[in-house]
Amino acid sequence: MIGRYLSALAFAAVVTFGLFWLMQYLIIGQKMSLDESDRVRLIDFVRLQRDTQTETKDRKPPDRPPPPEAPPEPPKMTADPTAAPTANTVGIDAAGLDAGMDLAGPGALGPPADAEAIPLFRMNPQYPDRAASRGIEGYVIMEFTITETGAVTNIQVVEASPPGIFDRAAIRAMERWKYKPKIVDGKPVPRHGVRNQLTFKLGE
Amino acid sequence: MTELLEAYRAIQTFLGQGGWVLNWILILTFALWVLIAERAAYYLFSHRKVFNDAVAKWEARPDKRSWHAAQYRTMLISQAKQHIEANVALIKTLVAMAPLFGLLGTVTGMVAVFEVMKVLGTGNARAMASGVSQATIPTMAGMVVAISGLYFSFALKRKADREVERLSDTLVQE
């Protein structure tokens, strides 16, 4: 056993020595290849002698284009400006215009007194997650008051299908809407009992 | 002889370039190869005797069937296994450790480079060179050692496994 280890020591010493010599040879080997490059002659890139003669280039000014010939003279006027026109005059009579216009009074063209309430700003309601996940569609009809400023107040659900699911979302959206206030005698007045329907449909 | 001396001096310079980690790799290499050589010597000179001893002890036993015999056989195999598998795991460990030591050298070498950069700035490449060689040489050394030992570690493991199996096949229970 001990003899085995002793012989192993000797063997291992040799192997280790060999390995490390190999390693340093791996490095030195590169150095040697560098040394060989000394034999290669380096090309001298620096040019010491320069051409002293400068090449001159004779430049001739380009030929001037010949001056354009004098423009032809304008034709002489032959007519006599002082002579009075001799053409005959044509008499035209004004034609009688008689288109039959039958317009009603000016009030007919104005806005109707009780026009539909026009929303100036609509806010899309948020689709309730519960309904969206279950694929429920429906609508909500609401009755509300439009104030003098055009805001929406006093919202009440008149009809909803299916009941209770979209009410909150519909009211919340409706609260943000802005209407054109009703104007009576040049003054905005609140308008009661306006109805609107919000339809909830799942897109695509 | 002079060439050997020259090689010795070359290795000395090499060790000097590689930093202190390289010395540890040298020790590791030596230990690894001591163990490998010991295993080789065991299989060349002692293994036959161990094997035959176990077989002879088993054959000398008249009873080869009882529970006692089975336990005795297990003991014989285990004792032989101690001889057969000695150092094999250690060799594998040392082979695995060699590249890690190399990596350690890399890191310490880089630290040395940064140390130089701290004092002299990045402009002085010549001063950084020693740190760089301290970083790269142990890496290479660790790899060379691992490569040199890898085959033997596997071969020894395989050989040990096979010999244990052969022994247990030879000790026939009736």
Side-chain angles (χ1 to χ4, degrees), chain A residues 38-175:
Chain A
D38 283 353
R39 279 187 228 148
V40 181
R41 272 189 138 194
L42 285 174
I43 302 160
D44 196 5
F45 283 102
V46 183
R47 251 168 104 180
L48 294 173
Q49 241 185 345
R50 282 167 189 271
D51 284 342
T52 47
Q53 264 189 327
T54 48
E55 230 175 88
T56 51
K57 200 169 172 185
D58 286 334
R59 291 187 73 182
K60 274 183 193 164
D63 292 337
R64 273 264 178 92
E69 287 171 23
E73 284 202 359
K76 283 266 173 65
M77 282 258 219
T78 48
D80 186 7
T82 53
T86 54
N88 296 327
T89 54
V90 183
I92 301 173
D93 293 330
L97 206 67
D98 190 20
M101 285 278 262
D102 191 11
L103 281 174
L109 278 177
D114 198 32
E116 273 296 298
I118 306 155
L120 297 173
F121 170 77
R122 319 163 156 263
M123 162 107 185
N124 283 337
Q126 233 184 348
Y127 211 100
D129 288 340
R130 228 152 52 94
S133 62
R134 291 177 197 180
I136 302 170
E137 296 182 343
Y139 63 90
V140 178
I141 299 178
M142 285 162 294
E143 199 174 272
F144 49 85
T145 304
I146 298 171
T147 63
E148 300 97 312
T149 56
V152 175
T153 56
N154 200 15
I155 305 166
Q156 272 166 353
V157 175
V158 177
E159 194 186 329
S161 159
I165 291 199
F166 299 110
D167 295 7
R168 254 176 90 81
I171 290 171
R172 277 202 176 171
M174 209 66 226
E175 278 172 348

Side-chain angles (χ1 to χ4, degrees), chain B residues 64-122:
Chain B
K64 292 176 187 168
R65 191 175 296 174
S66 66
W67 181 85
H68 277 286
Q71 298 305 306
Y72 184 66
R73 177 175 172 273
T74 312
M75 184 194 78
L76 283 179
I77 293 174
S78 295
Q79 281 174 349
K81 207 170 165 180
Q82 276 195 327
H83 289 288
I84 293 170
E85 288 189 347
N87 295 336
V88 171
L90 194 56
I91 288 170
K92 282 185 80 168
T93 310
L94 287 181
V95 166
M97 267 167 71
L100 296 180
F101 264 90
L103 221 57
L104 182 70
T106 311
V107 174
T108 52
M110 288 317 290
V111 169
V113 170
F114 292 140
E115 205 69 36
V116 168
M117 274 164 68
K118 195 170 77 183
V119 178
L120 297 175
T122 50

Side-chain angles (χ1 to χ4, degrees), chain B:
Chain B
M1 195 64 205
T2 49
E3 280 179 350
L4 214 64
L5 258 173
E6 194 132 324
Y8 177 73
R9 278 183 57 200
I11 290 172
Q12 285 277 328
T13 6
F14 179 69
L15 284 173
Q17 280 178 330
W20 61 271
V21 178
L22 199 58
N23 293 318
W24 282 98
I25 293 176
L26 178 74
I27 293 166
L28 186 140
T29 314
F30 187 68
L32 173 68
W33 278 94
V34 165
L35 294 178
I36 290 176
E38 189 272 333
R39 278 295 89 190
Y42 167 78
Y43 281 118
L44 279 176
F45 305 119
S46 313
H47 178 58
R48 189 184 299 261
K49 188 171 170 299
V50 170
F51 193 90
N52 287 343
D53 276 359
V55 174
K57 273 182 192 165
W58 178 250
E59 293 298 335
R61 193 181 169 84
D63 162 39
K64 292 176 187 168
R65 191 175 296 174
S66 66
W67 181 85
H68 277 286
Q71 298 305 306
Y72 184 66
R73 177 175 172 273
T74 312
M75 184 194 78
L76 283 179
I77 293 174
S78 295
Q79 281 174 349
K81 207 170 165 180
Q82 276 195 327
H83 289 288
I84 293 170
E85 288 189 347
N87 295 336
V88 171
L90 194 56
I91 288 170
K92 282 185 80 168
T93 310
L94 287 181
V95 166
M97 267 167 71
L100 296 180
F101 264 90
L103 221 57
L104 182 70
T106 311
V107 174
T108 52
M110 288 317 290
V111 169
V113 170
F114 292 140
E115 205 69 36
V116 168
M117 274 164 68
K118 195 170 77 183
V119 178
L120 297 175
T122 50
N124 199 337
R126 203 173 281 269
M128 281 190 274
S130 105
V132 171
S133 70
Q134 263 182 49
T136 45
I137 288 176
T139 314
M140 181 196 69
M143 284 178 189
V144 168
V145 172
I147 291 168
S148 75
L150 200 59
Y151 170 76
F152 295 99
S153 100
F154 273 106
L156 288 172
K157 178 89 175 75
R158 206 170 55 233
K159 174 85 173 161
D161 287 351
R162 204 186 299 142
E163 287 301 314
V164 170
E165 201 149 309
R166 194 162 70 92
L167 183 63
S168 66
D169 284 349
T170 315
L171 307 187
V172 186
Q173 278 181 298
E174 281 168 25

